[in-house]
Amino acid sequence: MASLSEEQREAVLEAARRPGATRNGVARETGVSVGSVTSICTAAGVSFDRSATAAALQARVIDLKAARIGLATSVLDDVQVARQRMHGADDNRNFLDGAKAVAALAGTHIKLVAVDRDDSSGTEAAKSMLGSLAAALGVAAAEDVDQVEDGGSA
């Protein structure tokens, strides 16, 4: 590390004391390395306020949570559409494809909601319910196939 002049040290401290100053910003502004900025400021008892960064991070977390909630709601709408198509299927193959779509979309919804859930037991219960639903849909589809093979209608 090259020796810094007293003027450079003062410039670093002046820049570091400005509201919202960051280590990297002071280093860019003064042409002094980030490590030297840290050393100079630590020695002078100047710290960098991270509250703006923390507030920005918290705001971003809230924004992402809102986006996940919106997406989870949209996925539930897609589940409804997939269910309607599944029940309106004209053959067993389309019914089974619809059942798979419903299960996949419901699983996606559960995963989106689980990210923000504090209680993992609720997630496990929902997964169990989804597994039961998927199994029931598979049984229903198999019964429809059996009816068609036996000469009945789906």
Coordinates of all heavy atoms in Angstrom, one line a residue, residues 59-95:
A59 N -37.2 -3.4 1.6 CA -38.2 -3.0 0.6 C -38.2 -4.0 -0.5 O -39.3 -4.4 -1.0 CB -37.9 -1.6 0.1
R60 N -37.1 -4.4 -0.9 CA -37.0 -5.4 -2.0 C -37.6 -6.7 -1.6 O -38.3 -7.4 -2.4 CB -35.5 -5.6 -2.4 CG -35.3 -6.6 -3.5 CD -35.7 -6.0 -4.9 NE -35.4 -6.9 -5.9 CZ -36.2 -7.2 -7.0 NH1 -37.3 -6.5 -7.1 NH2 -35.8 -8.1 -7.9
V61 N -37.4 -7.1 -0.4 CA -38.0 -8.4 0.1 C -39.5 -8.3 0.1 O -40.2 -9.2 -0.3 CB -37.5 -8.7 1.6 CG1 -38.3 -9.8 2.3 CG2 -36.0 -9.1 1.5
I62 N -40.0 -7.1 0.5 CA -41.5 -6.9 0.5 C -42.0 -6.9 -0.9 O -43.0 -7.5 -1.2 CB -41.8 -5.6 1.2 CG1 -41.6 -5.7 2.7 CG2 -43.3 -5.2 1.0 CD1 -41.6 -4.4 3.5
D63 N -41.3 -6.3 -1.8 CA -41.7 -6.3 -3.3 C -41.7 -7.7 -3.8 O -42.7 -8.1 -4.6 CB -40.8 -5.4 -4.1 CG -40.9 -3.9 -3.8 OD1 -41.9 -3.5 -3.2 OD2 -40.0 -3.2 -4.2
L64 N -40.7 -8.5 -3.5 CA -40.7 -9.9 -4.0 C -41.8 -10.7 -3.4 O -42.4 -11.5 -4.1 CB -39.3 -10.5 -3.8 CG -38.1 -9.9 -4.6 CD1 -36.8 -10.4 -4.1 CD2 -38.3 -10.1 -6.1
K65 N -42.1 -10.5 -2.2 CA -43.2 -11.2 -1.5 C -44.5 -10.9 -2.2 O -45.3 -11.8 -2.5 CB -43.2 -10.9 0.0 CG -44.3 -11.7 0.7 CD -44.2 -11.5 2.2 CE -45.3 -12.3 2.9 NZ -45.2 -12.2 4.3
A66 N -44.7 -9.6 -2.5 CA -45.9 -9.2 -3.2 C -46.0 -9.8 -4.6 O -47.1 -10.3 -5.0 CB -46.0 -7.7 -3.3
A67 N -44.9 -9.9 -5.2 CA -44.9 -10.5 -6.6 C -45.2 -12.0 -6.5 O -46.0 -12.5 -7.3 CB -43.5 -10.3 -7.2
R68 N -44.6 -12.7 -5.5 CA -45.0 -14.1 -5.3 C -46.4 -14.3 -5.0 O -47.1 -15.2 -5.5 CB -44.1 -14.7 -4.2 CG -42.7 -15.1 -4.7 CD -42.0 -15.9 -3.6 NE -41.8 -15.2 -2.3 CZ -40.9 -14.4 -2.0 NH1 -40.0 -14.1 -2.9 NH2 -40.9 -13.8 -0.8
I69 N -47.0 -13.4 -4.2 CA -48.4 -13.6 -3.9 C -49.3 -13.4 -5.1 O -50.2 -14.1 -5.4 CB -48.8 -12.5 -2.8 CG1 -48.2 -12.9 -1.4 CG2 -50.3 -12.4 -2.6 CD1 -48.3 -11.9 -0.4
G70 N -48.9 -12.4 -5.9 CA -49.6 -12.1 -7.2 C -49.5 -13.3 -8.1 O -50.5 -13.8 -8.7
L71 N -48.3 -13.9 -8.2 CA -48.1 -15.1 -9.1 C -48.9 -16.3 -8.6 O -49.5 -17.0 -9.3 CB -46.6 -15.4 -9.2 CG -46.2 -16.5 -10.1 CD1 -46.7 -16.2 -11.6 CD2 -44.7 -16.7 -10.1
A72 N -48.8 -16.5 -7.2 CA -49.6 -17.6 -6.7 C -51.1 -17.5 -6.9 O -51.7 -18.5 -7.2 CB -49.3 -17.7 -5.1
T73 N -51.6 -16.3 -6.9 CA -53.0 -16.0 -7.2 C -53.3 -16.3 -8.6 O -54.3 -17.0 -8.9 CB -53.4 -14.6 -6.8 OG1 -53.1 -14.3 -5.4 CG2 -54.8 -14.3 -7.1
S74 N -52.4 -15.9 -9.5 CA -52.6 -16.2 -10.9 C -52.6 -17.7 -11.2 O -53.3 -18.2 -12.0 CB -51.5 -15.5 -11.8 OG -51.7 -14.1 -11.7
V75 N -51.7 -18.4 -10.5 CA -51.6 -19.8 -10.7 C -52.9 -20.5 -10.2 O -53.3 -21.5 -10.9 CB -50.3 -20.4 -10.0 CG1 -50.4 -21.9 -9.9 CG2 -49.0 -19.9 -10.6
L76 N -53.5 -20.0 -9.2 CA -54.8 -20.6 -8.8 C -55.8 -20.4 -9.8 O -56.7 -21.3 -10.1 CB -55.2 -20.0 -7.5 CG -54.6 -20.5 -6.2 CD1 -55.2 -19.8 -5.0 CD2 -54.8 -22.0 -6.1
D77 N -55.8 -19.2 -10.5 CA -56.7 -19.0 -11.6 C -56.5 -20.0 -12.7 O -57.4 -20.6 -13.3 CB -56.6 -17.6 -12.2 CG -57.0 -16.5 -11.2 OD1 -57.8 -16.8 -10.2 OD2 -56.6 -15.3 -11.4
D78 N -55.2 -20.3 -13.0 CA -54.8 -21.3 -14.0 C -55.3 -22.7 -13.6 O -55.7 -23.5 -14.5 CB -53.3 -21.3 -14.2 CG -52.8 -20.0 -14.8 OD1 -53.6 -19.3 -15.4 OD2 -51.6 -19.7 -14.7
V79 N -55.3 -23.0 -12.3 CA -55.8 -24.3 -11.8 C -57.2 -24.4 -12.2 O -57.7 -25.5 -12.6 CB -55.5 -24.5 -10.3 CG1 -56.3 -25.7 -9.7 CG2 -54.1 -24.6 -10.0
Q80 N -58.0 -23.4 -11.9 CA -59.4 -23.4 -12.3 C -59.6 -23.6 -13.7 O -60.5 -24.5 -14.1 CB -60.1 -22.1 -11.8 CG -60.4 -22.0 -10.4 CD -61.4 -23.1 -9.9 OE1 -60.9 -24.1 -9.4 NE2 -62.6 -22.9 -10.2
V81 N -58.9 -23.0 -14.6 CA -59.0 -23.2 -16.0 C -58.7 -24.6 -16.4 O -59.4 -25.2 -17.2 CB -58.2 -22.1 -16.8 CG1 -58.1 -22.5 -18.3 CG2 -58.7 -20.7 -16.6
A82 N -57.6 -25.1 -15.9 CA -57.2 -26.5 -16.2 C -58.2 -27.5 -15.7 O -58.5 -28.5 -16.4 CB -55.8 -26.7 -15.5
R83 N -58.8 -27.2 -14.5 CA -59.9 -28.1 -14.1 C -61.1 -28.1 -15.0 O -61.7 -29.2 -15.3 CB -60.3 -27.7 -12.6 CG -59.3 -28.1 -11.6 CD -59.8 -27.8 -10.2 NE -60.8 -28.9 -9.9 CZ -62.0 -28.6 -9.5 NH1 -62.5 -27.4 -9.5 NH2 -62.9 -29.6 -9.3
Q84 N -61.4 -27.0 -15.5 CA -62.6 -26.9 -16.4 C -62.3 -27.6 -17.7 O -63.2 -28.4 -18.2 CB -62.9 -25.4 -16.7 CG -63.5 -24.7 -15.5 CD -63.6 -23.2 -15.7 OE1 -63.1 -22.6 -16.6 NE2 -64.3 -22.5 -14.7
R85 N -61.1 -27.5 -18.2 CA -60.7 -28.2 -19.4 C -60.7 -29.7 -19.2 O -61.1 -30.5 -20.0 CB -59.4 -27.7 -19.9 CG -59.5 -26.3 -20.5 CD -58.2 -25.9 -21.1 NE -58.3 -24.5 -21.6 CZ -57.3 -23.7 -21.9 NH1 -56.1 -24.1 -21.7 NH2 -57.5 -22.5 -22.4
M86 N -60.2 -30.1 -18.0 CA -60.0 -31.5 -17.6 C -61.4 -32.1 -17.6 O -61.7 -33.2 -18.2 CB -59.4 -31.6 -16.3 CG -59.3 -33.0 -15.8 SD -58.6 -33.1 -14.1 CE -60.0 -32.6 -13.1
H87 N -62.4 -31.4 -16.9 CA -63.7 -32.0 -16.8 C -64.5 -31.9 -18.1 O -65.5 -32.6 -18.3 CB -64.5 -31.3 -15.7 CG -64.0 -31.7 -14.3 ND1 -64.1 -33.0 -13.8 CD2 -63.3 -31.0 -13.4 CE1 -63.5 -33.1 -12.7 NE2 -63.0 -31.9 -12.4
G88 N -64.1 -31.1 -19.0 CA -64.7 -31.0 -20.3 C -64.0 -31.8 -21.4 O -64.4 -31.7 -22.6
A89 N -63.1 -32.6 -21.0 CA -62.3 -33.4 -22.0 C -63.2 -34.4 -22.6 O -64.1 -35.0 -22.0 CB -61.2 -34.1 -21.2
D90 N -63.0 -34.6 -23.9 CA -63.8 -35.5 -24.7 C -63.2 -36.9 -24.7 O -63.8 -37.8 -25.3 CB -64.0 -35.0 -26.1 CG -62.7 -34.7 -26.8 OD1 -61.6 -34.8 -26.2 OD2 -62.7 -34.3 -28.0
D91 N -62.0 -37.1 -24.2 CA -61.5 -38.5 -24.1 C -60.6 -38.6 -22.9 O -60.3 -37.6 -22.2 CB -60.7 -38.9 -25.4 CG -59.5 -38.0 -25.7 OD1 -59.0 -37.4 -24.7 OD2 -59.1 -37.9 -26.8
N92 N -60.2 -39.8 -22.6 CA -59.5 -40.1 -21.4 C -58.1 -39.5 -21.4 O -57.6 -39.1 -20.4 CB -59.4 -41.6 -21.1 CG -60.8 -42.1 -20.7 OD1 -61.5 -41.4 -20.0 ND2 -61.1 -43.3 -21.2
R93 N -57.5 -39.5 -22.5 CA -56.1 -38.9 -22.7 C -56.1 -37.4 -22.3 O -55.2 -37.0 -21.6 CB -55.6 -39.2 -24.1 CG -54.2 -38.7 -24.3 CD -53.2 -39.5 -23.5 NE -51.9 -38.9 -23.6 CZ -50.9 -39.2 -22.8 NH1 -51.1 -40.2 -21.9 NH2 -49.8 -38.7 -22.9
N94 N -57.1 -36.7 -22.8 CA -57.1 -35.3 -22.5 C -57.5 -35.1 -21.0 O -57.0 -34.1 -20.4 CB -58.2 -34.6 -23.4 CG -57.6 -34.4 -24.8 OD1 -56.4 -34.4 -25.1 ND2 -58.5 -34.4 -25.8
F95 N -58.3 -36.0 -20.5 CA -58.7 -35.9 -19.1 C -57.4 -36.1 -18.2 O -57.2 -35.3 -17.3 CB -59.7 -36.9 -18.7 CG -60.2 -36.8 -17.3 CD1 -61.2 -36.0 -16.9 CD2 -59.5 -37.6 -16.3 CE1 -61.5 -35.9 -15.5 CE2 -59.9 -37.6 -15.0 CZ -60.9 -36.7 -14.6

